[in-house]
Amino acid sequence: MGKVIVIEHLTLDGVMQAPGHPEEDPRDGFRHGGWANRNQDPAMQQVMGRHMSSTWSLLTGRTTYERFADYWPKQPPNPFTDALNRVQKYVASTTLTEPLTWQNSTLLKGDAADAVSGLKEELPENLVVFGSGVLVRSLLERNLVDTFVLLIHPLVLGSGRRLFPDSGSDLSAFELVDSVTTGTGVIIATYQPSARLA
Protein backbone atom coordinates (compact mmCIF):
# COMPACT_ATOMS: atom_id res chain seq x y z
CA MET A 1 0.00 0.00 0.00
CA GLY A 2 1.34 3.43 -0.95
CA LYS A 3 1.68 6.45 1.28
CA VAL A 4 0.94 10.12 0.63
CA ILE A 5 4.06 12.25 1.14
CA VAL A 6 3.54 16.02 1.05
CA ILE A 7 6.62 18.16 0.33
CA GLU A 8 6.15 21.90 0.85
CA HIS A 9 8.25 25.06 1.02
CA LEU A 10 6.92 27.25 3.85
CA THR A 11 7.82 30.61 5.34
CA LEU A 12 7.91 31.10 9.12
CA ASP A 13 4.38 32.52 8.91
CA GLY A 14 3.17 29.44 7.03
CA VAL A 15 2.95 30.85 3.48
CA MET A 16 3.35 28.25 0.73
CA GLN A 17 2.29 30.34 -2.28
CA ALA A 18 4.61 30.70 -5.29
CA PRO A 19 7.98 29.70 -3.84
CA GLY A 20 9.58 29.06 -7.25
CA HIS A 21 9.38 32.17 -9.42
CA PRO A 22 7.72 35.62 -9.56
CA GLU A 23 4.89 34.69 -11.97
CA GLU A 24 4.19 31.27 -10.47
CA ASP A 25 0.97 32.11 -8.61
CA PRO A 26 -0.15 35.76 -8.41
CA ARG A 27 -3.63 34.95 -7.08
CA ASP A 28 -5.06 37.42 -4.55
CA GLY A 29 -2.46 39.99 -5.65
CA PHE A 30 0.46 37.99 -4.24
CA ARG A 31 3.69 39.80 -5.19
CA HIS A 32 6.40 37.81 -3.41
CA GLY A 33 6.73 34.96 -5.93
CA GLY A 34 10.10 33.24 -6.00
CA TRP A 35 10.79 33.78 -2.29
CA ALA A 36 12.37 30.32 -1.82
CA ASN A 37 15.11 30.83 -4.42
CA ARG A 38 17.39 32.81 -2.12
CA ASN A 39 17.76 29.82 0.20
CA GLN A 40 18.54 27.03 -2.27
CA ASP A 41 20.93 24.46 -0.88
CA PRO A 42 22.08 21.00 -2.06
CA ALA A 43 20.62 19.47 1.12
CA MET A 44 17.12 20.25 -0.20
CA GLN A 45 17.66 18.18 -3.34
CA GLN A 46 19.12 15.35 -1.26
CA VAL A 47 16.08 15.19 1.03
CA MET A 48 13.58 15.44 -1.83
CA GLY A 49 15.61 12.95 -3.84
CA ARG A 50 15.20 10.36 -1.08
CA HIS A 51 11.44 10.47 -1.59
CA MET A 52 11.77 10.39 -5.38
CA SER A 53 14.51 7.78 -5.79
CA SER A 54 12.35 4.70 -5.32
CA THR A 55 9.10 3.97 -7.11
CA TRP A 56 6.67 6.86 -6.73
CA SER A 57 3.92 8.77 -8.50
CA LEU A 58 3.13 12.48 -8.52
CA LEU A 59 -0.19 13.63 -7.08
CA THR A 60 -1.31 17.20 -7.78
CA GLY A 61 -4.23 19.57 -7.77
CA ARG A 62 -5.22 21.55 -10.85
CA THR A 63 -3.23 24.73 -10.23
CA THR A 64 0.04 22.94 -9.50
CA TYR A 65 -0.48 20.56 -12.41
CA GLU A 66 -1.05 23.37 -14.90
CA ARG A 67 2.03 25.24 -13.73
CA PHE A 68 4.23 22.13 -13.69
CA ALA A 69 2.94 20.97 -17.10
CA ASP A 70 3.71 24.38 -18.58
CA TYR A 71 7.20 24.58 -17.06
CA TRP A 72 8.95 21.22 -16.61
CA PRO A 73 8.62 19.71 -20.12
CA LYS A 74 10.42 22.80 -21.48
CA GLN A 75 13.43 22.53 -19.16
CA PRO A 76 16.81 21.12 -20.20
CA PRO A 77 17.54 17.56 -19.12
CA ASN A 78 18.55 17.10 -15.49
CA PRO A 79 17.66 14.44 -12.89
CA PHE A 80 14.73 16.40 -11.37
CA THR A 81 13.22 17.35 -14.74
CA ASP A 82 13.66 13.84 -16.09
CA ALA A 83 12.00 12.33 -13.02
CA LEU A 84 8.98 14.65 -13.23
CA ASN A 85 8.48 14.07 -16.95
CA ARG A 86 8.83 10.30 -16.64
CA VAL A 87 6.75 9.66 -13.51
CA GLN A 88 3.06 8.73 -13.51
CA LYS A 89 0.99 11.78 -12.57
CA TYR A 90 -2.45 11.74 -10.91
CA VAL A 91 -4.41 14.99 -11.12
CA ALA A 92 -7.30 15.99 -8.88
CA SER A 93 -9.53 18.48 -10.70
CA THR A 94 -13.21 19.05 -11.39
CA THR A 95 -12.51 21.44 -14.27
CA LEU A 96 -9.79 19.78 -16.35
CA THR A 97 -10.75 17.26 -19.03
CA GLU A 98 -8.88 14.42 -20.68
CA PRO A 99 -6.65 14.05 -22.50
CA LEU A 100 -4.21 15.90 -20.23
CA THR A 101 -1.29 17.53 -21.99
CA TRP A 102 1.68 16.32 -19.91
CA GLN A 103 2.86 12.77 -20.62
CA ASN A 104 1.81 10.01 -18.19
CA SER A 105 -1.01 12.09 -16.66
CA THR A 106 -4.29 10.64 -15.40
CA LEU A 107 -7.30 12.69 -14.30
CA LEU A 108 -8.87 11.45 -11.06
CA LYS A 109 -12.64 11.07 -11.21
CA GLY A 110 -15.11 12.20 -8.55
CA ASP A 111 -14.20 13.35 -5.06
CA ALA A 112 -10.43 13.86 -4.76
CA ALA A 113 -10.11 12.40 -1.26
CA ASP A 114 -12.11 9.31 -2.26
CA ALA A 115 -9.94 8.85 -5.35
CA VAL A 116 -6.71 9.21 -3.36
CA SER A 117 -7.95 6.80 -0.72
CA GLY A 118 -8.54 4.25 -3.49
CA LEU A 119 -5.10 4.88 -5.00
CA LYS A 120 -3.42 4.30 -1.64
CA GLU A 121 -5.07 0.89 -1.50
CA GLU A 122 -4.32 -0.03 -5.11
CA LEU A 123 -0.80 1.27 -5.66
CA PRO A 124 2.39 -0.10 -4.13
CA GLU A 125 4.27 3.16 -4.69
CA ASN A 126 4.09 6.40 -2.72
CA LEU A 127 2.15 9.42 -3.93
CA VAL A 128 4.30 12.55 -3.67
CA VAL A 129 2.61 15.97 -3.53
CA PHE A 130 4.27 19.34 -4.19
CA GLY A 131 2.25 22.51 -3.59
CA SER A 132 -1.43 21.73 -4.22
CA GLY A 133 -2.62 23.39 -1.00
CA VAL A 134 -6.36 22.90 -1.64
CA LEU A 135 -5.82 19.21 -2.34
CA VAL A 136 -3.58 18.75 0.70
CA ARG A 137 -6.16 20.33 3.01
CA SER A 138 -8.87 17.99 1.67
CA LEU A 139 -6.57 15.00 2.26
CA LEU A 140 -5.80 16.19 5.80
CA GLU A 141 -9.51 16.29 6.60
CA ARG A 142 -9.70 12.57 5.76
CA ASN A 143 -6.39 11.64 7.49
CA LEU A 144 -4.85 10.61 4.17
CA VAL A 145 -1.47 12.36 4.56
CA ASP A 146 1.18 9.97 5.90
CA THR A 147 4.23 12.24 5.90
CA PHE A 148 4.94 15.97 5.69
CA VAL A 149 8.37 17.13 4.51
CA LEU A 150 8.34 20.85 5.32
CA LEU A 151 11.15 23.08 4.08
CA ILE A 152 10.80 25.98 6.50
CA HIS A 153 12.53 29.14 5.28
CA PRO A 154 13.80 31.89 7.62
CA LEU A 155 11.44 34.43 6.09
CA VAL A 156 8.16 36.16 7.00
CA LEU A 157 6.04 37.45 4.11
CA GLY A 158 2.97 38.67 5.98
CA SER A 159 0.57 37.61 3.22
CA GLY A 160 -0.10 34.73 0.89
CA ARG A 161 -1.88 31.41 0.82
CA ARG A 162 -1.01 29.17 3.75
CA LEU A 163 -0.80 25.42 4.03
CA PHE A 164 -2.88 25.27 7.19
CA PRO A 165 -5.96 27.53 7.28
CA ASP A 166 -6.56 29.99 10.11
CA SER A 167 -9.85 28.34 11.08
CA GLY A 168 -12.11 25.44 10.32
CA SER A 169 -9.55 22.72 11.05
CA ASP A 170 -9.67 20.08 13.74
CA LEU A 171 -6.83 19.79 16.23
CA SER A 172 -3.99 17.72 14.76
CA ALA A 173 -0.72 16.52 16.23
CA PHE A 174 2.44 15.39 14.46
CA GLU A 175 5.66 13.66 15.45
CA LEU A 176 9.03 14.86 14.20
CA VAL A 177 10.82 11.88 12.64
CA ASP A 178 13.74 13.67 10.98
CA SER A 179 15.23 17.14 10.66
CA VAL A 180 18.05 18.74 8.70
CA THR A 181 19.22 22.35 8.79
CA THR A 182 20.74 23.65 5.56
CA GLY A 183 23.62 26.10 5.28
CA THR A 184 21.12 28.79 4.24
CA GLY A 185 19.08 28.39 7.43
CA VAL A 186 16.22 26.32 6.03
CA ILE A 187 14.93 23.67 8.42
CA ILE A 188 13.78 20.53 6.61
CA ALA A 189 11.43 18.87 9.07
CA THR A 190 9.78 15.52 8.40
CA TYR A 191 6.57 14.91 10.36
CA GLN A 192 4.13 12.05 10.59
CA PRO A 193 0.66 12.17 12.16
CA SER A 194 0.65 11.37 15.85
CA ALA A 195 -1.88 9.18 17.59
CA ARG A 196 -1.74 11.44 20.64
CA LEU A 197 -2.94 15.01 20.90
CA ALA A 198 -1.26 17.50 23.24
Side-chain angles (χ1 to χ4, degrees):
M1 184 170 90
K3 295 183 178 180
V4 172
I5 300 172
V6 174
I7 301 175
E8 302 285 2
H9 289 271
L10 294 179
T11 63
L12 290 178
D13 53 342
V15 174
M16 64 176 291
Q17 187 171 358
H21 58 86
E23 294 80 33
E24 182 179 351
D25 185 0
R27 287 179 293 177
D28 306 324
F30 187 69
R31 50 187 171 70
H32 302 296
W35 52 265
N37 291 332
R38 70 188 77 190
N39 297 317
Q40 288 301 314
D41 187 283
M44 295 180 185
Q45 281 69 42
Q46 292 171 4
V47 170
M48 287 192 284
R50 284 203 302 265
H51 296 287
M52 298 167 64
S53 59
S54 57
T55 305
W56 64 288
S57 292
L58 179 65
L59 174 64
T60 76
R62 178 191 58 80
T63 300
T64 299
Y65 176 78
E66 289 180 329
R67 284 171 173 73
F68 275 28
D70 183 58
Y71 180 79
W72 288 108
K74 301 172 185 173
Q75 300 311 300
N78 65 64
F80 193 72
T81 299
D82 295 345
L84 284 173
N85 286 327
R86 181 180 61 250
V87 75
Q88 177 63 45
K89 292 162 271 287
Y90 295 99
V91 186
S93 172
T94 58
T95 57
L96 293 178
T97 56
E98 292 181 315
L100 297 174
T101 57
W102 197 7
Q103 67 191 49
N104 304 322
S105 296
T106 300
L107 185 63
L108 297 177
K109 310 289 191 217
D111 178 78
D114 287 343
V116 172
S117 179
L119 284 175
K120 287 183 67 171
E121 294 294 329
E122 296 167 16
L123 300 176
E125 72 264 23
N126 292 331
L127 296 163
V128 177
V129 183
F130 298 103
S132 306
V134 174
L135 172 62
V136 171
R137 286 189 287 276
S138 72
L139 299 179
L140 273 172
E141 291 173 3
R142 295 273 298 275
N143 299 314
L144 291 172
V145 176
D146 298 287
T147 302
F148 273 107
V149 180
L150 303 181
L151 294 87
I152 305 165
H153 294 248
L155 182 67
V156 173
L157 296 179
S159 65
R161 293 181 177 230
R162 290 168 168 76
L163 177 60
F164 302 106
D166 291 335
S167 62
S169 297
D170 291 331
L171 177 64
S172 301
F174 298 89
E175 293 182 5
L176 181 69
V177 295
D178 186 42
S179 66
V180 174
T181 302
T182 73
T184 58
V186 175
I187 298 172
I188 307 174
T190 303
Y191 293 98
Q192 292 177 345
S194 174
R196 60 179 178 78
L197 292 175

